[in-house]
Amino acid sequence: LAILRPERSFAHAMITDSRLHRGRQSYHYMKSDSVIDDLRDYNIQQNGEGRSRRDLFRTAAAGFAGGLVSNAAIASAADLEDKRRYFQRFPTLFAPLYGEASRKTNKRQIGENIWALEQNLELGPLDTPLRCVVVRLEDGSLWVHAPLAPTEEFCDLVESCCGSGNENGSAVAHVVVPTYALEHKVFAKDALLRWPEAKLWTAPGQFSFPKRSVADDFLWGRSVSGILSNSDVNAASVPWGEQIQYETLAAGTFNIGGIPTTLYETAFFHKSSKSLIVTDSLAQVPLAVPALSDPEKLLLVSKRSTTDPQPEDTPEARQIGWEKTALLVSYFFPEHEELDPDAGFGVVTWTEGWHDNFRALAGRLIVPPVVRTLLYAQNPPEVRRWVDRVAARWDFEQIVPAHFEAPIRASPKEFERAFAFLEDESIDAFPTNDLARGLRPIADIALKRLT
């Protein structure tokens, strides 16, 4: 029998083409997310919800050995794994950095003619939801906001939003790059290669690094169809303007490669679903573990000390892992993550109090700590003008950010309330010690370099 090693937290090795001959039958063994996903329904039927990947591996092995899983099922699982693979053409700080990788995509309808497609954004052992929004326009074509990793699965799910009888690549008419942030634009070129008839719309201030003057053909695969400056009220009309309106924020300025660079984000209002579509300006950290979270990574992060063994997979351990993940992603160096020299060089231990800090962060509409501290602190009056325009102009009922939870039921008044800190920093303040070791020093350095 092939030896499966699920206790290795980050291993994604595949055991392929191994065969167990049992009479006239041949069974193939493969350790991959797709096999586990395809076996999940069977495992739940036999053992109930909440089973770990380790349990699923055992189920898989038992199923293969006992003849419960046919060659056709394994072939189907392998095909699904192929549909989740892609090549990342530009280097980034998130996995896979560069090169080939695999991501699963979930699709949910979140209103009339609007869908959320989600993958995981991975940075080491940390992964959080990353979201693309797809809108079906009145003519049946698609408007794709911040495309995700270009797996065959993702592209098929996008095209399925066209509805019956119109599921083809040409149905994507518009690809939108709503901000400067790399994770929201790095796959735009791949999307445009998949849907070559689509037009490209970008927020202002797009730049490359370290080389700044790079041709559009290299970055996007074509020229930009339009730049979404200021507001559609004062700009040249866009072909989707009667259904989706926009307001652009100049979020802040950084010295990048010796050049002062202003960072922009464009927010959109989809009229028929009454949805405010944003990227990084707002978020709601979920109290519960997100659906796409990798249990093995959650268990790794859940440990009290980095020297502790991997804990047993329980709902409680996964929840602890998620809460610590949210703190690490939000603050970089949160208050209760401490170096522990008495335990050894480089050992990190979590001290009591981290759960209270998670509860102060999660379950409510916020401007994320990174955005609030690094960007919006630079020019609060400019941010306030953008907030006032959005709240006065659009009567939205839900907000769809690109990170964490969505959709968020919220009105313009609740939207305004999330930005009350612009006039008074004490309102909805994050724990001082969560900011002190990471975001605050970085913000101080960045702002000093601009003055």
Side-chain angles (χ1 to χ4, degrees):
L1 294 176
I3 300 174
L4 303 178
R5 299 187 60 190
E7 69 277 6
R8 295 179 59 187
S9 301
F10 306 116
H12 290 283
M14 297 177 69
I15 302 171
T16 56
D17 292 331
S18 298
R19 293 180 173 88
L20 173 66
H21 291 281
R22 186 182 181 193
R24 296 182 180 180
Q25 293 177 318
S26 175
Y27 299 96
H28 297 255
Y29 288 71
M30 180 188 300
K31 178 180 182 293
S32 72
D33 288 341
S34 63
V35 173
I36 301 308
D37 290 339
D38 276 20
L39 287 164
R40 189 173 301 278
D41 288 342
Y42 168 79
N43 186 72
I44 289 172
Q45 289 173 0
Q46 299 298 314
N47 301 303
E49 294 280 2
R51 307 293 290 177
S52 70
R53 287 173 59 88
R54 187 171 298 150
D55 292 332
L56 291 172
F57 292 146
R58 291 170 181 158
T59 299
F64 293 146
L68 297 177
V69 181
S70 68
N71 282 347
I74 300 305
S76 176
D79 182 60
L80 181 57
E81 176 65 20
D82 287 342
K83 289 185 175 182
R84 290 176 175 169
R85 302 202 69 80
Y86 68 98
F87 189 89
Q88 187 163 295
R89 66 177 67 244
F90 297 116
T92 67
L93 295 177
F94 49 85
L97 304 182
Y98 175 81
E100 189 172 289
S102 176
R103 289 192 192 180
K104 179 180 178 180
T105 306
N106 281 353
K107 171 190 168 186
R108 295 181 294 121
Q109 185 161 5
I110 56 174
E112 182 183 354
N113 293 323
I114 184 170
W115 292 263
L117 277 70
E118 295 158 346
Q119 297 175 352
N120 265 344
L121 182 66
E122 301 179 27
L123 184 61
L126 309 176
D127 56 24
T128 59
L130 184 66
R131 186 171 297 107
C132 162
V133 175
V134 178
V135 172
R136 182 166 63 207
L137 301 175
E138 290 175 355
D139 65 359
S141 66
L142 299 178
W143 181 93
V144 179
H145 175 274
L148 300 177
T151 67
E152 189 69 23
E153 181 180 51
F154 168 74
C155 295
D156 287 348
L157 288 173
V158 169
E159 291 162 10
S160 71
C161 296
C162 289
S164 177
N166 195 25
E167 299 174 9
N168 59 77
S170 63
V172 176
H174 307 283
V175 172
V176 177
V177 174
T179 186
Y180 63 92
L182 191 57
E183 70 267 27
H184 304 299
K185 66 181 182 181
V186 69
F187 301 120
K189 182 174 184 177
D190 299 279
L192 293 165
L193 289 172
R194 170 77 178 208
W195 301 300
E197 297 180 21
K199 294 184 177 181
L200 172 64
W201 309 90
T202 75
Q206 300 297 326
F207 64 92
S208 57
F209 182 82
K211 186 176 181 181
R212 300 300 289 260
S213 299
V214 178
D216 283 352
D217 282 348
F218 179 78
L219 291 177
W220 314 113
R222 69 182 66 188
S223 60
V224 176
S225 303
I227 296 175
L228 306 173
S229 299
N230 300 317
S231 167
D232 63 285
V233 173
N234 302 316
S237 63
V238 292
W240 33 267
E242 292 298 317
Q243 301 167 64
I244 304 172
Q245 299 171 333
Y246 69 86
E247 291 283 348
T248 296
L249 167 66
T253 301
F254 283 93
N255 192 321
I256 300 176
I259 302 173
T261 304
T262 299
L263 309 179
Y264 296 84
E265 177 178 340
T266 301
F268 302 88
F269 176 59
H270 178 228
K271 291 182 179 180
S272 68
S273 68
K274 293 193 172 183
S275 299
L276 175 64
I277 303 166
V278 299
T279 313
D280 297 322
S281 58
L282 289 163
Q284 183 166 297
V285 176
L287 292 168
V289 178
L292 286 173
S293 294
D294 183 340
E296 293 294 326
K297 291 185 178 182
L298 293 175
L299 296 178
L300 180 70
V301 178
S302 76
K303 298 192 296 183
R304 188 189 68 85
S305 170
T306 51
T307 60
D308 291 345
Q310 189 87 331
E312 285 297 314
D313 187 2
T314 65
E316 293 77 14
R318 292 189 188 190
Q319 181 65 31
I320 290 170
W322 166 243
E323 293 185 12
K324 291 179 177 179
T325 293
L327 291 170
L328 288 163
V329 168
S330 298
Y331 298 119
F332 301 164
F333 303 101
E335 176 180 5
H336 296 284
E337 185 202 30
E338 306 285 353
L339 286 173
D340 191 356
D342 292 340
F345 178 76
V347 175
V348 173
T349 298
W350 286 85
T351 60
E352 292 301 319
W354 57 264
H355 175 69
D356 292 337
N357 288 20
F358 170 78
R359 299 294 295 192
L361 173 72
R364 62 192 180 95
L365 183 65
I366 60 170
V367 175
V370 174
V371 176
R372 175 170 167 170
T373 305
L374 296 182
L375 292 181
Y376 294 175
Q378 294 186 28
N379 191 351
E382 178 62 26
V383 180
R384 169 54 63 192
R385 286 189 286 273
W386 175 78
V387 170
D388 290 346
R389 294 197 308 270
V390 169
R393 187 179 178 198
W394 299 328
D395 185 24
F396 49 86
E397 296 178 354
Q398 64 179 13
I399 301 174
V400 188
H403 294 277
F404 293 115
E405 199 163 8
I408 305 163
R409 300 298 297 181
S411 67
K413 286 187 179 296
E414 291 165 306
F415 170 81
E416 288 183 292
R417 177 68 179 79
F419 291 89
F421 69 89
L422 292 169
E423 287 74 40
D424 183 350
E425 289 188 0
S426 68
I427 297 177
D428 286 342
F430 298 113
T432 301
N433 290 335
D434 271 328
L435 299 173
R437 293 185 299 182
L439 290 178
R440 185 62 65 193
I442 294 171
D444 291 344
I445 293 170
L447 291 174
K448 284 177 182 178
R449 287 183 175 175
L450 290 169
T451 59

